[in-house]
Amino acid sequence: MNCDTDSLKQYYDLSQKVAEAIKAVLRIDVTIMSKEMERISGTGKYKALIGEEIEKETAFDHCLMTGSPQIIVDHEDDNSICQKCPRYSSCSEKAEICVPIKHGDTTIGVIGVIAFDEEQKNRIVRNKLVFLNFLEKMSDLLEAKYSEHQINMEKKLLSSRLVSVLDTINEGIVLYDKNGDVLYKNKALVKILCEIGITQYDSFIKEIWGNTMLQEILAGKEYPDPCEITLTHKDEKYGLLASISYLKTGTDSNEIILTLQNINKL
């Protein structure tokens, strides 16, 4: 499972936990819907309907379209949005509260609690503002998780674009994390190493990282840029020119980019 799929699954898993938590507190069944009108979580009778599409012209649809909470306590009110619902004549729902899940100014889903008997309806009527506030806080929790998913997707897209650009460069490029693990090597580097008879290029690239001069530069010692590095690989000596730059990936984390030129056997 790739990064963005995994983060989306985490969002869906959290949404089901949120639905179950709301049900446990409010003792009313819950549905959570995505922006595509898909039921992504639910409790009670709605749990078996996860994955199905929710109809248009419903309270959930209206909440999604307007980005505003909906409180319905009288389906037969002439002003109720229920009048346009395709299930109006056969609806068994007595009352409901729907709250949008926002990502910035965009509505990306809806949380709703639905009463199916008079006792549940009366609790919604008596506590509608308290319930609304609680649902909005749960919506904020899901929004935070969705934002994390979006960041993961944007990072993956940026990484894909970066790789595409680096693969067009004729010089050898290798990207290390702060521990020296190889995150990426471009096609030009692999081609250059193969042309001089180095077939175990992963081992060679690791040996570049272990070079004493390179480690001194990373520790802050000044050398010319590019610097000339020599190393031994499979009992053969090689020389190369290396330029070092940094790719900042977090508040306290850098990745190291080496641009390698003139790789030759000595």
Side-chain angles (χ1 to χ4, degrees), residues 181-201:
D181 292 324
V182 178
L183 302 176
Y184 165 79
K185 54 187 176 294
N186 71 343
K187 292 178 181 178
L189 178 58
V190 173
K191 181 181 178 183
I192 292 167
L193 295 180
C194 287
E195 286 175 350
I196 61 174
I198 298 174
T199 56
Q200 295 182 354
Y201 37 80

Side-chain angles (χ1 to χ4, degrees), residues 36-126:
E36 292 80 21
M37 301 283 289
E38 177 189 351
R39 194 188 313 273
I40 61 173
S41 59
T43 65
K45 64 182 290 185
Y46 292 121
K47 194 166 187 176
L49 303 178
I50 292 173
E52 294 188 1
E53 187 174 319
I54 294 176
E55 300 98 327
K56 296 284 187 180
E57 302 291 349
T58 58
F60 275 75
D61 180 36
H62 195 69
C63 182
L64 183 69
M65 293 299 102
T66 63
S68 300
Q70 305 296 319
I71 300 176
I72 300 171
V73 295
D74 184 359
H75 286 196
E76 297 181 358
D77 186 336
D78 289 341
N79 295 319
S80 171
I81 60 174
C82 298
Q83 298 290 327
K84 295 182 180 180
C85 178
R87 293 186 291 107
Y88 176 71
S89 60
S90 60
C91 183
S92 61
E93 299 171 0
K94 303 295 184 182
E96 62 188 289
I97 300 177
C98 296
V99 171
I101 305 168
K102 296 289 190 78
H103 178 61
D105 294 328
T106 303
T107 303
I108 49 93
V110 175
I111 301 177
V113 293
I114 304 97
F116 286 101
D117 57 42
E118 290 300 323
E119 188 273 333
Q120 291 179 341
K121 174 182 176 179
N122 290 336
R123 277 195 285 115
I124 286 180
V125 171
R126 291 194 308 269

Side-chain angles (χ1 to χ4, degrees), residues 125-140:
V125 171
R126 291 194 308 269
N127 303 289
K128 57 186 177 183
L129 295 182
V130 174
F131 286 8
L132 178 62
N133 182 60
F134 178 67
L135 291 176
E136 287 175 336
K137 291 185 182 305
M138 290 306 218
S139 171
D140 290 343

